[in-house]
Amino acid sequence: MGENGYSFIVNGIERTTSEEKMLLRYLRDDLHLHSVKDGCSEGACGTCTIVVDGKAVKSCVLTTKRAAGKDILTVEGLSGFEKEVFVYAFGAKGAVQCGFCIPGMVMAGKALLDKNQNPTEEDIKIALRGNICRCTGYKKIMEGIQLAAAILRGDEEIDYELEKGDDYGVGKRAFRVDVREKVLGYGQYVDDMTVQGMVHASAVRTKYPRARILDIDISKAEALDGVIAVLTAEDVPNNKVGHIQQDWDVMIAKGDITRCIGDAICLVIAETEDILAKAKKLVNIDYEVLEPVRDIHEAAAKGAPQLHKHAPGNICQSRHVTRGDAKKALEKSKYTVTKNYTTPFTEHAFLEPECAIGMPYKDGVKVYSSDQGVYDSRKEIAIMFGWDEERVVVENALVGGGFG
Ligand code: FES
Ligand code: FES
């Protein structure tokens, strides 16, 4: 540490901080460089990729201390021409969907192209191996980097007309309207937004997939300086919400049983994220651990515990769909095949942190949300409060892979 702290160059400007913290947080929170996205905070996704001394590096695994003396580049620090090249190349190749991974891809591409102006597909794959894309598929991103390389070499040119979109039509190339803000990282996802007087909230979740909550002791958390409130199910006017059936507990109440590891027990609200993290650790929950119901077979087995009061046999809903006369069609078929078909378990694995900002609005609330179902969110918030839906406004910012 130098006399005044840790010093480094960020996008050509010397910066110094006395705080030792994750470089990702310094770049986002102190310098407001929001192209550096926080997808996982633990080195797994690549959305926070920046270039450090010429190499692509994940800024969540570096600290301000370890970055001292280094030369750091984010998308914001690319030259004007490089910005145009990546915007055009990614837009022309259809490499941008939700866009949350894209600034990290651009910086991984930049580090590669600075060393290798004519990369092979294999070179690009290696350069992107630490970067996950939730939605586009890697082919288009690789093509985007290949096109960027060709323009930077002088073999191709930017067609500025394409982005203007004056000539769209069937069979014509289209350029998404939001490519520029997503490639350059200035488009706002909820995680990039702040509002005046904003405080932070996060749920304490169950440690066990199935457990009876015997006691919730929030006294120590409530007593911590900077904690505004700790809410439990008792504070929720109507604790049951849900898309299909209204049987999801907003929070699991004392005496009730959890159903999955994501179930919330209480919501802690604090002035800063650091205080919030400390306060969450001070909540003490007593559990009676029960045998979980792990899959559909266990849920359907005779004697299985009933998970929701109004769903005997653990059946959420039964529907019979008939189209045409299958029996007759099979009788008439020359060949029939009998087999069991299964589909794999799929997790959508969004990259953007699932978060929302809520605030008082007229006689109700307004919520900025990162999900895709603004109407469902509106309906469920209204059910939770016992309000008319008109009192709730839910607005999407850019959606970085919430996908419901
Ligand atoms: S790798 Fe850094 S946020 Fe995911
Ligand atoms: S475009 Fe890559 S995560 Fe959505």
Side-chain angles (χ1 to χ4, degrees):
M1 181 153 145
E3 214 175 291
N4 303 315
Y6 310 111
S7 297
F8 29 72
I9 308 285
V10 182
N11 297 334
I13 299 170
E14 179 162 3
R15 303 281 185 180
T16 302
T17 175
S18 56
E19 248 188 298
E20 182 183 347
K21 62 175 171 183
M22 193 189 276
L23 185 63
L24 165 65
R25 294 268 46 110
Y26 174 75
L27 296 172
R28 283 184 62 80
D29 303 341
D30 295 44
L31 301 187
H32 308 295
L33 296 170
H34 286 167
S35 75
V36 189
K37 303 291 180 205
D38 183 3
C40 69
S41 306
E42 55 185 37
C45 73
T47 60
C48 65
T49 303
I50 55 173
V51 176
V52 179
D53 288 346
K55 281 197 192 130
V57 170
K58 290 166 179 167
S59 58
C60 67
V61 297
L62 256 194
T63 58
T64 46
K65 183 178 176 185
R66 287 180 47 221
K70 300 201 185 294
D71 194 2
I72 294 164
L73 189 72
T74 71
V75 168
E76 289 85 347
L78 293 174
S79 74
F81 181 61
E82 283 173 322
K83 286 181 181 168
E84 292 306 316
V85 169
F86 280 108
V87 167
Y88 173 71
F90 276 55
K93 291 296 176 185
V96 179
Q97 278 195 40
C98 86
F100 201 77
C101 70
I102 296 298
M105 296 285 183
V106 166
M107 294 318 279
K110 154 83 179 158
L112 170 70
L113 301 185
D114 279 352
K115 291 205 180 75
N116 178 355
Q117 283 219 311
N118 202 353
T120 62
E121 195 179 306
E122 201 50 35
D123 295 333
I124 298 175
K125 280 185 188 165
I126 291 169
L128 298 184
R129 68 187 181 278
N131 295 64
I132 294 173
C133 175
R134 155 68 178 78
C135 29
T136 300
Y138 301 94
K139 191 170 183 315
K140 305 248 172 239
I141 293 172
M142 285 166 23
E143 286 174 8
I145 291 176
Q146 239 146 10
L147 178 55
I151 300 170
L152 290 168
R153 285 197 309 270
D155 292 347
E156 298 262 0
E157 282 183 1
I158 298 175
D159 172 6
Y160 287 98
E161 294 305 307
L162 190 61
E163 189 181 357
K164 286 191 195 152
D166 294 340
D167 192 24
Y168 279 169
V170 175
K172 300 218 165 112
R173 289 191 306 164
F175 198 101
R176 279 179 70 105
V177 290
D178 52 11
V179 164
R180 181 167 288 272
E181 60 180 318
K182 288 177 171 174
V183 170
L184 300 183
Y186 64 81
Q188 284 200 315
Y189 299 85
V190 177
D191 194 37
D192 300 324
M193 297 169 72
T194 44
V195 294
Q196 220 187 355
M198 189 163 96
V199 295
H200 303 267
S202 176
V204 175
R205 298 184 191 276
T206 173
K207 263 195 198 161
Y208 307 98
R210 193 159 167 270
R212 190 184 305 279
I213 304 301
L214 300 178
D215 194 25
I216 310 166
D217 181 0
I218 57 173
S219 56
K220 281 193 188 138
E222 269 184 327
L224 187 70
D225 230 16
V227 170
I228 296 159
V230 183
L231 306 179
T232 64
E234 285 173 22
D235 301 298
V236 184
N238 179 11
N239 200 39
K240 295 279 185 194
V241 296
H243 290 349
I244 300 169
Q245 312 277 23
Q246 261 90 62
D247 60 2
W248 292 358
D249 295 73
V250 176
M251 288 184 269
I252 304 293
K254 189 172 151 182
D256 280 353
I257 297 175
T258 63
R259 302 180 187 89
C260 72
I261 208 91
D263 273 341
I265 311 295
C266 64
L267 185 76
V268 183
I269 302 137
E271 283 167 10
T272 68
E273 288 186 81
D274 284 347
I275 299 171
L276 180 60
K278 276 186 205 131
K280 282 176 71 177
K281 288 192 187 128
L282 295 175
V283 174
N284 215 336
I285 300 162
D286 266 354
Y287 299 93
E288 177 195 345
V289 181
L290 303 168
E291 191 64 15
V293 179
R294 297 171 195 83
D295 59 28
I296 203 164
H297 305 292
E298 288 187 9
K302 220 172 161 203
Q306 189 171 322
L307 299 182
H308 292 274
K309 279 197 187 106
H310 305 295
N314 291 325
I315 293 168
C316 172
Q317 203 174 69
S318 297
R319 282 195 198 174
H320 191 105
V321 181
T322 309
R323 189 157 175 228
D325 189 341
K327 205 168 162 236
K328 209 187 250 167
L330 282 171
E331 277 165 11
K332 279 189 172 168
S333 299
K334 190 168 176 190
Y335 303 105
T336 61
V337 178
T338 304
K339 222 175 165 183
N340 280 333
Y341 293 92
T342 56
T343 52
F345 174 79
T346 304
E347 161 58 47
H348 289 297
F350 47 86
L351 286 179
E352 181 193 12
E354 283 214 82
C355 57
I357 300 177
M359 65 199 82
Y361 183 72
K362 295 186 179 167
D363 64 341
V365 292
K366 180 168 185 172
V367 175
Y368 288 106
S369 145
S370 65
D371 72 36
Q372 285 183 316
V374 287
Y375 297 107
D376 278 330
S377 301
R378 181 191 200 204
K379 183 176 113 189
E380 285 173 42
I381 293 167
I383 291 171
M384 183 183 73
F385 281 126
W387 289 353
D388 287 340
E389 282 187 31
E390 281 62 38
R391 292 176 67 185
V392 181
V393 176
V394 180
E395 215 175 272
N396 267 146
L398 290 181
V399 175
F403 297 112

